[in-house]
Amino acid sequence: MFSFSNLKRLLVLLLMLPKLSEVYLAYNQINHIEPGTFSNLLNLRLLNLENNKISIVQNGTFSNLPKLATLLLSNNQITVLSEYTDELMSIANVYLKNNPWQCDCRMVSFRQKMVGKRFEDHIICEEPSRLFGQKLKDIEPDDLICDEPQIVTFKMINGNRPVLEGETVILNCDVSGIPTPDITVTLPSGRNATVESGGRVTVEANGIITIENITATESGLYVCLAASPGGSTSANLSIYVQGSSSVSPTSIYVQGPSSVSPTSIHVQGPSSVSPSISFGFEQL
């Protein structure tokens, strides 16, 4: 038996323990497992991954485990098991309870293959809302559909107003569809920002886009793209960022005797107006 704690990510588990039969990884913070992580554990019979944050099961994650008989994946964040299901089908005991299952067109293949498996009662739909609480096994494959995405609105949250350089600007690309569409925002520079992106421009899964310390060079057209297995659609939003500039004078008042240099200069006004100059002298 081998156990771990306080893990967040597994790459390749290089355990030179050919006789290892049980691995316990429950109650960690694991959100991603690279394919082939366990492939050298040829005698592994039990793998416990319950109560983590795993959201995706990739092809090859549980390959080359000829003796694996029990796999525990309950209480994670898995939403879909689609094309790469043969590995799970060959394992005698698979536990998949309490995951936020999305019962849409991506689950058709899995739904057709899981008939008669012990875990078929474990998959209870969380989305879409019309199928909430139903067991996947009780839903006909033709009812597992994906809608074409729609963009309800794409706007600046704090209204249509002048944007000043250095501000934090928040946009909302409100989308709908089954499954929930992925959002990509194309910036005026041509760079794309997604949920996985970092930096000054961040995109949240709910469509909130935050641009910190915006600059005048970021004026232009912003494009929100919503995409899912059901299709894709986009919407545009133009933003003008007013840049800061140095102030040039509109009036200069000079006072003093004609025989000496000016004693005072008064400068006033925005840079967009050409200066007017007046001179005043005291009589000797």
Side-chain angles (χ1 to χ4, degrees):
M1 182 180 74
F2 216 91
S3 63
F4 298 84
S5 62
N6 298 318
L7 294 177
K8 292 185 178 180
R9 184 180 176 92
L10 290 176
L11 295 175
V12 177
L13 194 60
L14 297 176
L15 297 176
M16 304 307 294
L17 301 170
K19 295 184 179 181
L20 188 66
S21 62
E22 297 180 3
V23 173
Y24 291 83
L25 294 164
Y27 294 96
N28 280 280
Q29 301 293 317
I30 300 168
N31 55 34
H32 181 80
I33 303 176
E34 288 289 337
T37 296
F38 309 102
S39 60
N40 59 325
L41 304 179
L42 301 181
N43 290 293
L44 187 65
R45 295 183 178 276
L46 183 149
L47 177 57
N48 188 342
L49 291 164
E50 289 185 327
N51 293 283
N52 280 286
K53 296 182 178 180
I54 300 166
S55 59
I56 297 175
V57 177
Q58 294 179 276
N59 185 28
T61 301
F62 306 112
S63 63
N64 199 30
L65 297 172
K67 295 184 179 180
L68 184 62
T70 302
L71 173 63
L72 295 90
L73 286 167
S74 297
N75 296 296
N76 275 282
Q77 297 298 315
I78 305 170
T79 57
V80 172
L81 290 171
S82 53
E83 51 191 313
Y84 305 123
T85 58
D86 291 341
E87 295 172 6
L88 295 182
M89 300 300 172
S90 63
I91 301 171
N93 302 297
V94 179
Y95 295 85
L96 296 168
K97 296 179 180 179
N98 299 323
N99 282 284
W101 298 107
Q102 295 186 7
C103 298
D104 53 51
C105 65
R106 297 170 295 172
M107 291 284 274
V108 171
S109 176
F110 185 79
R111 162 68 179 82
Q112 293 170 332
K113 292 181 179 181
M114 75 173 197
V115 176
K117 299 296 181 181
R118 294 182 180 180
F119 56 75
E120 66 177 359
D121 285 324
H122 297 179
I123 301 178
I124 299 176
C125 303
E126 184 165 311
E127 292 184 1
S129 57
R130 64 182 179 84
L131 298 177
F132 178 81
Q134 296 188 41
K135 292 182 179 180
L136 180 62
K137 73 170 188 176
D138 296 330
I139 301 171
E140 293 296 325
D142 289 344
D143 291 328
L144 299 172
I145 61 174
C146 291
D147 291 340
E148 185 175 355
Q150 293 185 347
I151 297 178
V152 180
T153 184
F154 184 29
K155 64 181 181 180
M156 192 162 60
I157 282 185
N158 41 1
N160 294 324
R161 60 173 184 78
V163 176
L164 302 179
E165 195 170 41
E167 284 191 53
T168 294
V169 175
I170 301 176
L171 311 178
N172 181 20
C173 186
D174 186 11
V175 302
S176 64
I178 300 173
T180 302
D182 295 323
I183 295 175
T184 300
V185 179
T186 302
L187 310 178
S189 65
R191 183 173 72 87
N192 289 333
T194 65
V195 174
E196 290 78 21
S197 302
R200 290 189 302 108
V201 181
T202 58
V203 180
E204 299 179 32
N206 62 0
I208 298 298
I209 302 129
T210 303
I211 309 168
E212 296 182 350
N213 194 26
I214 197 167
T215 66
T217 60
E218 291 171 304
S219 294
L221 189 68
Y222 289 74
V223 180
C224 177
L225 174 68
S228 77
S232 64
T233 187
S234 64
N236 300 335
L237 176 65
S238 293
I239 296 178
Y240 173 72
V241 182
Q242 183 176 343
S244 59
S245 61
S246 59
V247 177
S248 300
T250 59
S251 64
I252 300 177
Y253 178 73
V254 182
Q255 179 177 344
S258 59
S259 59
V260 297
S261 300
T263 59
S264 64
I265 298 177
H266 301 274
V267 180
Q268 175 182 341
S271 59
S272 59
V273 182
S274 300
S276 61
I277 303 175
S278 61
F279 294 90
F281 299 96
E282 292 181 354
Q283 187 174 2
L284 295 175

